[in-house]
């Protein structure tokens, strides 16, 4: 419900990818082997991306044990999020039950490795990377000659100190 007002949605990795199909309301007595039928849990990140509105930034997490980059990139593409933070939860001294962690910040740009550090510091670094997704990007405008039609961008270019053939314009 509150998603409609959010400009940024950060979703943690799923606690579990599967849940029991049948849940007993009584204790299951030991009587030999037991087979559990499991069903996939709801894909909350995919639903958030499906319901996103223009301008919303969506960041998800992927808790992985192997093929981190391949699985992370696949999740980024399959879910349609703006970024995925991949955690190796199988490492010694890092991950779920540790004071330190490491991650890889994936977007459509090259991966950013966030090496092992205290979890609080890692959280700050992840937020720093998310902020870079919100920053205006530099746009290089190239022109060979002056035009008679003036636009607001032309006015900015006219007052800049750059050479007329190549100037930088910050687009927000």
């Amino acid at each position: 419900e509150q998603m409609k007002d959010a400009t940024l949605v950060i979703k943690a990795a799923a606690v579990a990818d599967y849940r029991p199909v049948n849940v007993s309301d009584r204790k299951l007595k030991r009587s030999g082997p037991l087979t559990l039928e499991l069903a996939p849990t709801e894909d909350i990140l995919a639903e958030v991306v499906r319901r996103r509105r223009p301008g919303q930034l969506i960041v998800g997490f992927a808790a992985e044990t192997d093929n981190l980059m391949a699985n992370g990139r696949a999740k980024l593409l399959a879910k349609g999020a703006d970024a995925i933070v991949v955690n190796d939860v199988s490492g010694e001294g890092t991950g779920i039950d540790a004071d330190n962690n490491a991650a890889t910040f994936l977007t459509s740009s090259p991966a950013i490795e966030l090496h092992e550090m205290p979890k609080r510091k890692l959280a700050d670094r992840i937020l720093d990377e998310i902020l870079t997704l919100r920053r205006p990007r530099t746009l290089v405008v190239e022109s060979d000659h002056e035009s008679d039609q003036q636009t607001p961008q032309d006015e900015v270019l006219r007052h800049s100190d750059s050479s007329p053939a190549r100037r930088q314009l910050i687009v927000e």
Side-chain angles (χ1 to χ4, degrees):
E1 238 178 78
Q2 295 179 3
M3 190 178 142
K4 63 181 172 47
D5 298 323
T7 57
L8 169 64
V9 178
I10 302 173
K11 300 304 297 177
V15 173
D17 290 329
Y18 291 91
R19 62 173 177 72
V21 171
N22 298 309
V23 179
S24 177
D25 59 351
R26 300 169 190 244
K27 180 184 178 207
L28 299 175
K29 298 285 189 182
R30 188 177 328 188
S31 62
L34 179 65
T35 301
L36 294 176
E37 185 179 356
L38 302 174
T41 55
E42 179 185 0
D43 191 337
I44 297 170
L45 179 59
E47 182 62 19
V48 165
V49 170
R50 188 185 70 74
R51 294 177 39 199
R52 85 185 318 165
R53 62 178 175 68
Q56 276 185 322
L57 189 64
I58 311 291
V59 179
F61 279 72
E64 298 291 342
T65 56
D66 52 31
N67 301 322
L68 277 64
M69 292 300 288
N71 290 339
R73 286 270 177 221
K75 185 172 188 174
L76 180 67
L77 293 172
K79 305 290 182 179
D82 297 293
I84 296 289
V85 181
V86 181
N87 294 103
D88 181 354
V89 295
S90 67
E92 281 282 324
T94 62
I96 295 171
D97 195 24
D99 293 331
N100 289 342
N101 208 349
T104 304
F105 191 82
L106 297 178
T107 64
S108 58
S109 299
I112 299 168
E113 291 295 329
L114 303 172
H115 299 286
E116 184 177 337
M117 63 188 81
K119 286 183 176 179
R120 173 68 183 148
K121 186 173 181 182
L122 181 61
D124 290 341
R125 285 285 292 117
I126 291 168
L127 289 174
D128 289 344
E129 294 304 328
I130 291 170
L131 285 175
T132 65
L133 297 176
R134 282 281 189 217
R135 286 195 188 117
R137 290 181 172 78
T138 301
L139 172 67
V140 176
V141 178
E142 295 185 348
S143 62
D144 293 327
H145 60 280
E146 295 292 323
S147 170
D148 293 335
Q149 296 178 327
Q150 294 291 312
T151 67
Q153 291 86 355
D154 293 327
E155 188 67 18
V156 171
L157 290 172
R158 197 167 58 76
H159 293 297
S160 72
D161 292 334
S162 301
S163 71
R166 187 175 196 112
R167 301 183 181 169
Q168 290 189 342
L169 189 192
I170 304 298
V171 178
E172 294 187 42

